[in-house]
Amino acid sequence: MRPFAGTGELTPAELLAADIRSIPRPSILEGEVSAKGKTAKGLETLGIATHGDLIEHLPHSHRDRRDARTIASLGVGEEATVAVAVRSVTVKPMRDRRRKRVEAKVFDQTGPMVAVWWNQPWIARQLGEGSQVLLHGTLKQRNQFHVKEFEPFGGGEAAPVHTVGLVPVHPATALVSAQTLRKLIWEEYGRMRHVIEPLPASLRSAERLPDRPAALAGAHFPDTEDDEAGARRRLAFEELYLSQLAVAGRRRARGGGRKARPVVGDGSLVDPWVAALPFELTADQEAAGAEIESDLAAEAPMQRLLMGEVGSGKTAVALQAMLRAVEAGGQAALMAPTETLAEQHLLTIDRLLDGAAPVELLTGSTAAARRRDLLGRLESGQLNLVVGTHALLEDPVRFASLALCVVDEQHRFGVRQRAALDAKAPGDLAPHALHMTATPIPRTLALTAYGDLETTVLRHLPAGRRPVQTHVVDGARARARAYERVREEIAQGRQCFVVCPLVSESEALQARAATDEAERLRATEFRELSVGLIHGQMSSADKQEAMRGFADGETDVLVATSVIEVGIDVPNATVMLIEAAERYGLSQLHQLRGRVGRGEHESVCILFGDPKLPRLEAIASDKDGFALAEVDLDLRGAGEVLGTRQSGMPEFRVARLPDDQVLLERARAHADATIAADPGLEQPENALLRGAVIDRFGSDLDPIPA
């Protein structure tokens, strides 16, 4: 790697924290990095304000320009770098007279050629007769070399960074080019040796990692592919290790502070309820119930993630835990991210309870008088089971003895929202928390976004559930046959979902798309059928009425947005049509498919889209939600699968999941060992490590005070 250069009189901390505009530097870019310059604005757009930020702005790839060529060895059409001397330079007008091209007669020891720049007349001023330059470009016909990048060399010039070696390509903007960033970061090369090294020497030795300064230098300007790979591995390991320390910190904070009320019932409510269920619990459900009840019986607050296949019976497992809380004299609340899902949970729970205990619904649409009544009964302890939305988090909502919180689709809630529900328990006690998701989560994400939770998995479906046949189709004939299949099913007394495309993040636009499609179907293909409509922009009462009509069989076809993705249970629905299926992620498609096949009849899911699209090929060939989740992660990345902002999924700058799964496992093992030896990272040798965790992932690593 290149040797480190000098850095002047500033201290290391000052060098890295200084504003990038505050220190003049001799450079061909001098003057661009100013408060008013476009480069400064571009750097601001990229989140670069200090020298340290610039050093941490890593390239996304490298261009291999190590093979310098001679003029005589160039072939027409070849892209290469040549070292030449300039004989003469001219600026010529182009046909439209407004644009110009620069032609430089250049030569090396093997012969001459003409170097050409298009519409860049200022370059002529930088090419003096006899100057030596490195040119990178492509040889065209008539001995013309069209130049993409160039830079001077020899005669005391700075080391070349654009045209030779493994040339870094950094994320850029319209205001600051990759070439400009490359030059600016090269000028920071000497400062790289002043970056903080958070990893203990023993850990670096165990994992054979270079120190951080060398890793940054190798990430930006490596000499070989091995240099770059080693640098990336070091920086990726660091990210994963710090994230796992933060996860361990959250786990410790939850377990080392507030205590929970042990929930131990006598079976008087749960046992007869289980015996009266119209189905037998699966082995997975029984095992999950046992794990949860073991957690509930402890003083440490339960923090468990319950995930499983579509239709695997998560709600029944959660309800058993909720009833155990009530049996033990406490209260239980289930929070869902949308009113539609909360309403469906209420219907499902009410049906499963079959009068065993009263349950109520609290959402933002709950009428004022009804709301006052519910709040009073919750605060007095008269109401022990409640289902709701974010409305449960509001200040007026108080519980007499909240023992268990069940958070459904928990990745759609922020950390603060979940903490607000935790705070609803009385006094200094914390409620037990059961987090549910209908989206199978790959192990990679379970270790990152949910690494502070114990995990329970439901893989097996209840007896009698039939696999849903899935077809991806395209074209007018296939569409006509799909509509014919819908009419055939309805003629046999079945029902159908039609899900409209995810046209944008705007619920209003999605609602419009669903509304338009419902009107079209009523007037054309399904004009003799009853076509209903449901979307997120409808009032709570209208959504309830739409779902009631469909559940009761009054509606043949329900046109919907992805609002029906989870929680909808209509056993008589046997056909799912999904428009513009390519707009959805694999897990979302799997969830939508899971809305059918919930009864005794054979069901089919028809996706309108390109059958050759990898995502759609996968959904058509695989019924295993966990396998599809892994494919989805590979195709879209962790942030897109879960939604980085809401899920708590860290945004990794270097680490790539799931490619770095093995590295993640190693980082987790080291993090667990580190926390076991020094839970708060308070020992002197871990001081820099503690600071790095807090700076990068915001974990305070300390227990919540009791």
Side-chain angles (χ1 to χ4, degrees), residues 85 114 158 263 408 414 427:
V114 176
V263 171
D408 192 27

Side-chain angles (χ1 to χ4, degrees), residues 644-665:
T644 300
R645 184 179 58 189
Q646 280 106 350
S647 70
M649 178 70 198
E651 293 187 59
F652 294 123
R653 300 167 186 161
V654 187
R656 295 190 290 262
L657 300 176
D659 295 349
D660 287 326
Q661 170 73 32
V662 173
L663 205 60
L664 172 61
E665 300 274 4

Side-chain angles (χ1 to χ4, degrees), residues 137-303:
T138 303
L139 183 68
K140 302 293 184 178
Q141 294 179 355
R142 303 196 206 106
N143 203 33
Q144 285 191 356
F145 190 82
H146 292 191
V147 181
K148 292 182 178 178
E149 291 186 89
F150 81 101
E151 57 191 325
F153 76 98
E157 298 287 352
V161 293
H162 306 299
T163 56
V164 295
L166 290 172
V167 177
V169 183
H170 299 85
T173 72
L175 294 176
V176 55
S177 67
Q179 185 179 30
T180 298
L181 283 164
R182 191 180 305 133
K183 181 63 177 179
L184 291 174
I185 293 170
W186 173 247
E187 291 175 355
E188 300 292 335
Y189 199 85
R191 293 185 178 88
M192 291 181 192
R193 66 187 176 94
H194 294 291
V195 299
I196 294 172
E197 172 56 85
L199 301 187
S202 58
L203 176 58
R204 298 202 311 273
S205 176
E207 286 295 322
R208 298 182 179 180
L209 302 173
D211 62 30
R212 199 164 201 281
L216 284 169
H220 286 291
F221 301 105
D223 287 336
T224 67
E225 288 91 344
D226 287 345
D227 288 343
E228 193 277 333
R232 198 204 71 81
R233 181 180 182 276
R234 147 66 210 231
L235 297 173
F237 179 89
E238 177 185 317
E239 275 191 321
L240 296 170
Y241 177 62
L242 295 181
S243 77
Q244 289 303 302
L245 288 172
V247 163
R250 291 200 304 270
R251 193 163 55 233
R252 179 173 179 263
R254 283 174 167 169
R258 298 165 67 195
K259 293 182 178 180
R261 170 185 175 179
V263 171
V264 181
D266 58 8
S268 59
L269 182 58
V270 172
D271 291 352
W273 173 75
V274 171
L277 286 173
F279 54 83
E280 289 189 11
L281 296 176
T282 65
D284 275 359
Q285 287 175 311
E286 291 180 345
E291 286 181 339
I292 292 169
E293 293 203 357
S294 176
D295 288 350
L296 291 175
E299 286 190 343
M302 175 177 72
Q303 292 292 339

Side-chain angles (χ1 to χ4, degrees), residues 287-320:
E291 286 181 339
I292 292 169
E293 293 203 357
S294 176
D295 288 350
L296 291 175
E299 286 190 343
M302 175 177 72
Q303 292 292 339
R304 184 168 290 276
L305 174 66
L306 177 63
M307 63 176 171
E309 266 291 6
V310 177
S312 58
K314 295 176 291 295
T315 304
V317 172
L319 181 54
Q320 181 176 340

Side-chain angles (χ1 to χ4, degrees), residues 497-502 514 517 558-565 576-581 584 592 595 608:
F497 289 105
V498 176
V499 178
C500 286
L502 188 69
E517 181 65 2
L558 184 63
V559 179
T561 61
S562 54
V563 69
I564 61 134
E565 178 185 343
M576 168 67 70
L577 299 185
I578 302 177
E579 297 281 357
Y584 297 90
L592 290 169
R595 297 313 100 203
F608 294 120

Side-chain angles (χ1 to χ4, degrees), residues 440-705:
I441 299 170
R443 176 165 172 75
T444 301
L445 300 192
L447 291 177
T448 48
Y450 308 121
D452 53 331
L453 305 178
E454 300 298 325
T455 302
T456 294
V457 178
L458 301 180
R459 290 186 175 272
H460 300 114
L461 300 181
R465 286 295 299 271
R466 297 183 178 219
V468 178
Q469 298 301 313
T470 306
H471 306 283
V472 182
V473 301
D474 193 15
R477 288 185 60 185
R479 179 175 289 274
R481 177 66 188 105
Y483 291 142
E484 183 181 354
R485 176 63 184 272
V486 171
R487 290 190 289 268
E488 291 170 354
E489 289 290 315
I490 292 173
Q492 297 180 45
R494 314 290 174 247
Q495 293 164 282
C496 169
F497 289 105
V498 176
V499 178
C500 286
L502 188 69
V503 292
S504 78
E505 292 302 315
S506 166
E507 284 194 19
L509 289 177
Q510 292 177 48
R512 183 71 257 168
T515 302
D516 290 345
E517 181 65 2
E519 292 174 354
R520 188 188 71 80
L521 291 173
R522 287 174 186 142
T524 55
E525 283 85 357
F526 302 149
R527 54 183 170 273
E528 296 177 356
L529 304 176
S530 173
V531 178
L533 172 68
I534 187 170
H535 57 71
Q537 293 289 291
M538 295 167 64
S539 68
S540 179
D542 287 344
K543 284 186 289 187
Q544 285 182 338
E545 179 59 25
M547 282 309 307
R548 185 206 61 76
F550 192 64
D552 291 348
E554 298 172 7
T555 303
D556 298 316
V557 177
L558 184 63
V559 179
T561 61
S562 54
V563 69
I564 61 134
E565 178 185 343
V566 290
I568 307 300
D569 188 5
V570 180
N572 195 49
T574 57
V575 183
M576 168 67 70
L577 299 185
I578 302 177
E579 297 281 357
E582 69 278 358
R583 293 180 179 269
Y584 297 90
L586 258 176
S587 294
Q588 194 172 31
L589 290 172
H590 185 58
Q591 294 300 322
L592 290 169
R593 175 171 62 183
R595 297 313 100 203
V596 296
R598 306 178 79 85
E600 58 182 324
H601 309 291
E602 289 189 0
S603 299
V604 62
C605 177
I606 301 173
L607 298 89
F608 294 120
D610 182 358
K612 296 181 180 179
L613 193 68
R615 185 162 64 250
L616 301 188
E617 285 184 332
I619 192 74
S621 62
D622 206 326
K623 307 297 189 294
D624 185 340
F626 288 92
L628 290 173
E630 294 286 354
V631 176
D632 204 19
L633 175 62
D634 193 40
L635 290 174
R636 294 199 298 156
E640 288 296 320
V641 169
L642 289 182
T644 300
R645 184 179 58 189
Q646 280 106 350
S647 70
M649 178 70 198
E651 293 187 59
F652 294 123
R653 300 167 186 161
V654 187
R656 295 190 290 262
L657 300 176
D659 295 349
D660 287 326
Q661 170 73 32
V662 173
L663 205 60
L664 172 61
E665 300 274 4
R666 296 188 66 82
R668 181 177 177 84
H670 283 293
D672 287 346
T674 301
I675 291 296
D678 183 11
L681 299 182
E682 296 168 336
Q683 296 175 8
E685 61 268 27
N686 288 331
L688 293 177
L689 190 58
R690 178 184 172 91
V693 173
I694 294 171
D695 289 345
R696 183 69 176 86
F697 295 106
S699 172
D700 61 9
L701 293 164
D702 296 321
I704 299 172

